[in-house]
């Protein structure tokens, strides 16, 4: 199983081993496959400064850094990347509630684009 380089800010920073999912299709991260140490802290700090150290979903400010989780705005199963542009800060309850769902705004945009140009997305009539 070859590691996959995850570019952050245009340069590779971590190798994350991946494997095909047991159900077929998609990529599944093995337990513990996530950015660690200095890289994780640097990304968390960057995203925190960018987003004002508050939960992206409920907008509650974080009083303690230990309450911060990094969430993939577009789920890993849809877009397997850990670039900061796809990461937001979330409190644990909001992160668990969102789970692997597409954000409503993003899903609406995809539906709108599919309606405007069905041939582009291979939408069956």
């Amino acid at each position: 199983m070859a590691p996959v380089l995850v570019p952050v800010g245009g340069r590779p920073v971590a190798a994350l081993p991946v494997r095909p999912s047991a159900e077929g299709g998609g990529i599944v991260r093995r337990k513990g496959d996530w950015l660690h140490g200095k890289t994780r802290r640097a990304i968390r700090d960057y995203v925190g400064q960018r987003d004002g150290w508050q939960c992206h979903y409920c907008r509650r400010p974080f009083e303690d850094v230990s309450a911060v989780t990094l969430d993939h705005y577009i789920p890993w199963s849809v877009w397997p990347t850990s670039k900061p542009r796809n990461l937001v800060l979330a409190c644990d309850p909001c992160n668990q509630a969102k789970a692997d769902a597409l954000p409503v705004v993003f899903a609406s945009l995809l539906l709108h684009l599919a309606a405007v140009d069905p041939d582009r997305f291979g939408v069956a009539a």
Side-chain angles (χ1 to χ4, degrees):
M1 183 173 355
V4 175
L5 293 178
V6 178
V8 174
R11 59 185 171 73
V13 294
L16 302 176
V18 295
R19 62 182 167 80
S21 70
E23 298 82 33
I27 294 173
V28 174
R29 288 176 290 159
R30 284 192 275 165
K31 185 176 181 180
D33 289 345
W34 182 232
L35 301 173
H36 296 285
K38 291 180 183 178
T39 303
R40 180 177 169 79
R41 282 190 295 276
I43 291 173
R44 183 199 60 209
D45 291 345
Y46 171 78
V47 173
Q49 290 173 357
R50 180 192 72 193
D51 297 346
W53 290 101
Q54 62 184 2
C55 176
H56 179 78
Y57 303 107
C58 68
R59 301 292 184 210
R60 289 190 193 137
F62 291 108
E63 296 175 8
D64 185 14
V65 176
S66 66
V68 173
T69 62
L70 284 170
D71 180 45
H72 289 87
Y73 184 69
I74 299 171
W76 178 271
S77 61
V78 175
W79 189 30
T81 184
S82 292
K83 292 182 179 184
R85 66 180 174 222
N86 188 37
L87 295 172
V88 295
L89 297 183
C91 60
D92 194 51
C94 288
N95 197 350
Q96 296 300 319
K98 179 188 168 271
D100 202 24
L102 275 176
V104 174
V105 173
F106 187 71
S108 298
L109 175 65
L110 289 176
L111 290 171
H112 173 74
L113 291 173
V116 169
D117 190 3
D119 295 332
R120 180 178 178 189
F121 294 97
V123 177

